[in-house]
């Protein structure tokens, strides 16, 4: 008799807070594609998270729809993966309230992303920015996800999610699956081209990141201007040579060659050679994505059908978990 084993579940998200960078692509998005056959996957555009920082309405709308087109352009099959907007599934906001009541102020105030972002946006340190990790924990727990593929900057948020899940399970037993993080071997933290000791971020200055939609000339210019150092030697040493090491990691992530073998083959070459290899590999990766992106963007009706179906499928799963928790807490069922 045929046996059906339920595949393990994956959930991950990305904010429509700008155009995704090469860091988002290498650290998260392209792994999503690799996982689609082996796992039951849900990928979410975290638009609720994006408003923890002020967004211009028209831009937010455009970035959100572009992000959906990009998820399709990197090859995610909407039949195999549930692709949806977080704001279309009201259970996220509901779960967020419940989990807020099981999370401590002290836990949130330790989060480095909160510290970074509140320094960057000192005029708008809102409560949403503070409880951002609780919303994220709800995103993951609603779907009983086993694995969460993200870049290493999300480690702390994932730990807090596990803590909240264990706390709720301790009080009510058997509500949530405890998720694990899933990090890429190379490129889990792509650094800024201008300040290579900080992570590449889509909401930083334009020259510090490569956007997935940057054309060849822009890619060439940005990599040519990438900060290196003055000793002229190519070796992997993130502490003393963060710029060169970042370029080697990017090249390794894009070509599949190990960092060691790249360092060896570039040992007697100059920074210009390394930069042109990184430029070529980047352009080669991005051009087909951009072509496909333009095709999806030209078909708004298709994009709409993808996100509508995605929201319905996601909602059905999310509602089960939400109802289960609400019952356990002691609310009267509708
Ligand atoms: P923002 O700058 O608006 O905070 P972001 O660029 O940090 O956004 P997110 O939408 O928060 O991007 O992250 C989406 C995914 O990309 C997450 O899994 C995150 O870990 C990953 N990611 C973000 N930046 C990098 C990076 N520099 N290197 C590797 N992975 C990254
Ligand atoms: N906070 C994440 C984006 C995100 C996410 C999630 C990632 C929102 N909800 C759920 C994984 C699972 C970030 O990358 N900054």
């Amino acid at each position: 008799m045929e046996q059906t084993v339920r595949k393990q579940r994956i959930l991950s998200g990305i904010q429509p807070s700008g155009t995704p960078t090469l860091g988002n692509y290498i650290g998260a998005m392209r792994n999503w594609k690799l996982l689609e056959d082996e796992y039951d996957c849900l990928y979410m555009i975290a638009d609720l998270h994006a408003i923890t920082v002020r967004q211009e309405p028209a831009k937010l709308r455009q970035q959100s729809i572009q992000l959906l087109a990009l998820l399709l352009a990197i090859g995610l099959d909407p039949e195999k993966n549930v692709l949806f907007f977080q704001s279309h599934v009201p259970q996220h906001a509901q779960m967020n309230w419940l989990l807020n009541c099981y999370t401590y102020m002290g836990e949130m105030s330790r989060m480095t992303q909160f510290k970074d972002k509140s320094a960057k946006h000192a005029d708008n340190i809102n409560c949403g920015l503070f409880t951002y990790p609780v919303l994220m924990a709800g995103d993951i727990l609603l779907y009983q996800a086993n694995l969460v593929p993200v870049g290493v900057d999300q480690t702390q948020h994932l730990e807090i999610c596990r803590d909240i899940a264990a706390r709720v399970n301790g009080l009510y037993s058997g509500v949530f699956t405890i998720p694990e993080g899933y990090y890429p071997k190379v490129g889990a933290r792509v650094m800024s081209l201008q300040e290579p000791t900080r992570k590449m971020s889509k909401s930083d200055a334009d020259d510090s990141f490569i956007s997935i939609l940057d054309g060849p000339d822009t890619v060439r210019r940005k990599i040519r201007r990438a900060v290196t150092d003055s000793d002229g030697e190519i070796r992997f040493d993130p502490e003393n040579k963060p710029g060169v090491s970042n370029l080697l990691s990017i090249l390794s992530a894009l070509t599949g060659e190990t960092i060691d073998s790249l360092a060896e083959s570039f040992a007697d070459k100059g920074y210009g050679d390394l930069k042109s290899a990184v430029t070529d590999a980047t352009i080669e990766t991005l051009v087909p994505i951009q072509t496909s992106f333009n095709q999806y963007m030209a078909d708004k009706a298709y994009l709409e059908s993808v996100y509508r179906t995605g929201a319905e499928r996601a909602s059905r799963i999310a509602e089960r978990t939400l109802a289960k928790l609400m019952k356990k807490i002691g609310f009267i069922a509708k």
Side-chain angles (χ1 to χ4, degrees):
M1 216 180 10
E2 196 185 323
Q3 266 202 329
T4 48
V5 181
R6 183 160 101 66
K7 288 182 182 170
Q8 289 225 316
R9 184 166 290 148
I10 279 189
L11 177 120
S12 196
I14 177 164
Q15 302 181 71
S17 47
T19 307
T21 67
L22 195 59
N24 297 130
Y25 178 68
I26 294 174
M29 294 162 77
R30 71 167 185 174
N31 298 310
W32 299 356
K33 170 72 187 160
L34 299 175
L35 297 163
E36 72 176 8
D37 288 320
E38 235 178 292
Y39 295 88
D40 175 16
C41 303
L42 296 107
Y43 295 117
M44 176 189 82
I45 295 173
D47 49 3
L48 296 176
H49 275 100
I51 65 160
T52 53
V53 169
R54 288 279 174 271
Q55 304 288 344
E56 219 179 280
K59 248 172 121 180
L60 180 62
R61 253 188 301 275
Q62 193 198 20
Q63 286 163 187
S64 300
I65 204 71
Q66 285 189 340
L67 194 45
L68 179 68
L70 268 175
L71 294 183
L72 296 166
I74 61 166
L76 288 177
D77 177 345
E79 304 281 326
K80 289 185 190 161
N81 305 279
V82 180
L83 306 180
F84 67 104
F85 290 110
Q86 186 182 27
S87 64
H88 289 182
V89 180
Q91 289 84 359
H92 289 261
Q94 292 171 278
M95 184 57 100
N96 182 226
W97 172 254
L98 301 181
L99 297 185
N100 264 328
C101 300
Y102 296 84
T103 307
Y104 299 111
M105 302 284 286
E107 291 177 305
M108 292 295 98
S109 46
R110 284 197 295 275
M111 299 287 112
T112 47
Q113 181 176 300
F114 172 69
K115 291 186 209 160
D116 285 356
K117 290 214 171 169
S118 46
K120 246 201 244 176
H121 305 279
D123 56 338
N124 179 24
I125 306 178
N126 60 71
C127 295
L129 191 63
F130 189 65
T131 64
Y132 177 116
V134 184
L135 180 62
M136 176 163 161
D139 298 339
I140 298 166
L141 301 176
L142 273 173
Y143 301 97
Q144 308 286 358
N146 305 94
L147 276 191
V148 185
V150 281
V152 284
D153 61 307
Q154 296 302 310
T155 313
Q156 227 187 4
H157 292 163
L158 217 77
E159 273 313 304
I160 215 70
C161 170
R162 290 162 54 88
D163 291 347
I164 297 171
R167 183 172 305 145
V168 170
N169 283 351
L171 289 166
Y172 306 112
S173 92
V175 181
F176 295 132
T177 301
I178 311 277
E180 305 270 349
Y182 180 96
Y183 306 97
K185 287 189 195 69
V186 198
R189 190 177 171 85
V190 176
M191 308 309 271
S192 157
L193 297 179
Q194 289 302 316
E195 278 180 85
T197 49
R198 299 178 38 163
K199 78 158 190 158
M200 182 181 280
S201 187
K202 61 173 122 65
S203 45
D204 279 348
D206 197 43
D207 258 17
S208 68
F209 63 82
I210 290 173
S211 138
I212 300 195
L213 295 179
D214 280 345
D217 288 344
T218 309
V219 171
R220 231 171 260 127
R221 177 174 49 81
K222 288 183 177 175
I223 296 181
R224 194 174 344 105
R225 291 192 191 157
V227 168
T228 49
D229 53 52
S230 54
D231 81 4
E233 199 187 321
I234 297 182
R235 66 192 152 80
F236 188 71
D237 179 354
E239 207 166 303
N240 299 305
K241 299 176 67 68
V244 171
S245 305
N246 190 35
L247 293 174
L248 282 170
S249 307
I250 294 174
L251 190 57
S252 164
L254 295 179
T255 59
E257 273 194 60
T258 65
I259 290 181
D260 284 351
S261 88
L262 287 173
E264 207 174 297
S265 59
F266 278 96
D268 52 1
K269 296 196 175 130
Y271 291 169
D273 301 310
L274 176 60
K275 284 183 170 182
S276 74
V278 175
T279 302
D280 292 346
T282 305
I283 294 173
E284 204 172 299
T285 305
L286 297 188
V287 165
I289 297 176
Q290 292 165 357
T291 307
S292 168
F293 166 80
N294 290 331
Q295 285 161 355
Y296 284 116
M297 281 304 282
D299 192 350
K300 293 284 163 13
Y302 177 68
L303 293 176
E304 200 176 309
S305 74
V306 169
Y307 69 67
R308 287 236 165 102
T309 314
E312 274 165 32
R313 290 168 68 192
S315 239
R316 269 198 298 276
I317 307 172
E319 185 51 35
R320 275 203 294 276
T321 309
L322 184 71
K324 180 172 166 190
L325 177 59
M326 289 183 76
K327 186 167 173 213
K328 295 237 184 194
I329 292 177
F331 292 114
I332 291 174
K334 274 193 283 191

